[in-house]
Amino acid sequence: MIFLFTGCFTRTPQITSSATILIKTPAMKFYDKGFIFKYEDYTQVQIFTAGTVILDMKIYEDRVCKSTFECQDLKTFNRNNLHKSYDDRFLKELFERNQKEVVFRDKENRILIKIKRD
């Protein structure tokens, strides 16, 4: 009975913040308003343009899931979207920082990520 009731509830994030998010890499280009949701076991990043979700990404401890592809392990995601030299937890730690503004710039690999929380 408990499983039945707890299984029907939707998860609520522990922390929610709105932000202006810029992700510019050779493979991804996103810049607009969005939300960062911190759940117990993953971090979700959503970016909107004109009220439409253009990026919906869930970052787990061992994989990244985007609405445009199947889940990828962190090494594969980094290799395909960032750079293979990046630590597996790089993206998750970047979005989980509790700073008002986060700027990551890697000129050598042409990567710029800015998060400005409202």
Side-chain angles (χ1 to χ4, degrees), residues 10-45:
T10 58
R11 295 181 138 195
T12 56
Q14 297 171 334
I15 300 171
T16 301
S17 59
S18 63
T20 302
I21 302 169
L22 168 67
I23 301 173
K24 185 176 178 185
T25 75
M28 299 185 337
K29 292 179 181 28
F30 297 101
Y31 176 66
D32 224 314
K33 287 289 194 176
F35 292 94
I36 302 167
F37 304 98
K38 173 68 175 112
Y39 293 89
E40 187 175 321
D41 55 344
Y42 66 92
T43 300
Q44 182 175 9
V45 177

Side-chain angles (χ1 to χ4, degrees), residues 94 97 99 101-105 112-116:
L94 196 69
R97 289 185 188 169
Q99 300 167 329
E101 187 168 352
V102 175
V103 178
F104 173 81
R105 182 171 290 140
L112 175 61
I113 301 174
K114 288 185 180 181
I115 305 161
K116 186 174 182 183

Side-chain angles (χ1 to χ4, degrees), residues 2-110:
I2 293 173
F3 175 74
L4 179 64
F5 287 117
T6 58
C8 296
F9 290 113
T10 58
R11 295 181 138 195
T12 56
Q14 297 171 334
I15 300 171
T16 301
S17 59
S18 63
T20 302
I21 302 169
L22 168 67
I23 301 173
K24 185 176 178 185
T25 75
M28 299 185 337
K29 292 179 181 28
F30 297 101
Y31 176 66
D32 224 314
K33 287 289 194 176
F35 292 94
I36 302 167
F37 304 98
K38 173 68 175 112
Y39 293 89
E40 187 175 321
D41 55 344
Y42 66 92
T43 300
Q44 182 175 9
V45 177
Q46 291 182 328
I47 301 176
F48 295 83
T49 294
T52 303
V53 176
I54 59 169
L55 175 67
D56 188 7
M57 181 169 55
K58 293 180 181 174
I59 309 165
Y60 295 87
E61 294 295 327
D62 62 344
R63 67 193 182 283
V64 175
C65 301
K66 285 193 341 185
S67 57
T68 56
F69 63 73
E70 297 283 328
C71 294
Q72 295 179 329
D73 65 84
L74 298 173
K75 284 191 188 313
T76 302
F77 179 84
N78 286 349
R79 185 177 63 241
N80 293 343
N81 297 285
L82 300 172
H83 192 267
K84 65 182 179 181
S85 64
Y86 288 5
D87 183 70
D88 289 352
R89 294 190 37 83
F90 166 77
L91 195 62
K92 185 170 178 60
E93 289 173 353
L94 196 69
F95 278 102
E96 288 183 353
R97 289 185 188 169
N98 288 327
Q99 300 167 329
K100 177 90 173 151
E101 187 168 352
V102 175
V103 178
F104 173 81
R105 182 171 290 140
D106 178 352
K107 289 183 180 182
E108 184 178 322
N109 295 306
R110 301 184 344 245

